Amino acid sequence: QLQLVESGGGLVQPGGSLRLSCAAPGFTLDNYAIGWFRQAPGKEREGVSCISDTGDRTISADSVKGRFTISRDNANNTVYLQMNNLKAEDTAVYYCAADLYGGPFICYMVKAQYWGQGIQVTVSS
C-alpha cells in the first residue's frame, strides 16, 4: 500500500515562504501524477497544484498562480510545493495525493487513489 508522507509545514508570517515535500518511503512515484490539495476549516477540500508523472504538465488553482510552484524530483522520489508570498487565506491543512490514471487533472476532480495524512500550514502575524 502506497503511503505518502508530507513535511515542511508550519507557522509563517504573511509574505513568507514554505516548501512542502511529499515522499513515499519504499515506493517509487515515477508513474503517478501527484497533487497538492488543501482544506481550510469549514471549507471543502480544493486542488492547489498538480503535476503529471513526467513533470511536463502542471495545473494550479488561480488563487496560487504566480506564488506557488509544484515540481518533482523522480530521482529522489519526492514532489515539492514551493509556496511564496503566503497569505492568511492560504492557512489550511495541505495534503499530498497520488494517482496512476488521472494525470494533473486530479486537481479539478479532487480525487486520487492515495492520500497523505496532511500537514498544517498557518499564515499569521
Side-chain angles (χ1 to χ4, degrees):
Q1 179 78 7
L2 178 63
Q3 291 188 325
L4 300 169
V5 179
E6 302 99 339
S7 61
L11 173 65
V12 63
Q13 292 186 341
S17 298
L18 284 174
R19 189 176 76 161
L20 302 182
S21 299
C22 174
F27 288 87
T28 179
L29 295 177
D30 288 8
N31 297 321
Y32 291 86
I34 304 294
W36 286 98
F37 301 81
R38 67 186 181 187
Q39 188 165 19
K43 294 188 176 182
E44 292 187 352
R45 190 172 297 187
E46 63 174 349
V48 177
S49 291
C50 300
I51 190 167
S52 62
D53 56 349
T54 58
D56 61 341
R57 297 189 68 179
T58 63
I59 289 173
S60 292
D62 288 343
S63 59
V64 305
K65 284 180 180 176
R67 300 189 298 122
F68 291 11
T69 303
I70 189 170
S71 62
R72 65 190 301 156
D73 181 351
N74 283 349
N76 289 310
N77 213 35
T78 305
V79 177
Y80 303 99
L81 183 67
Q82 178 66 44
M83 306 186 294
N84 298 329
N85 190 22
L86 282 158
K87 305 176 181 180
E89 51 264 42
D90 296 316
T91 295
V93 176
Y94 283 70
Y95 299 88
C96 169
D99 195 275
L100 270 176
Y101 306 110
F105 303 103
I106 58 175
C107 259
Y108 298 139
M109 298 182 288
V110 196
K111 290 178 71 174
Q113 293 173 285
Y114 303 100
W115 292 84
Q117 292 295 310
I119 192 165
Q120 179 70 43
V121 171
T122 302
V123 185
S124 174
S125 55

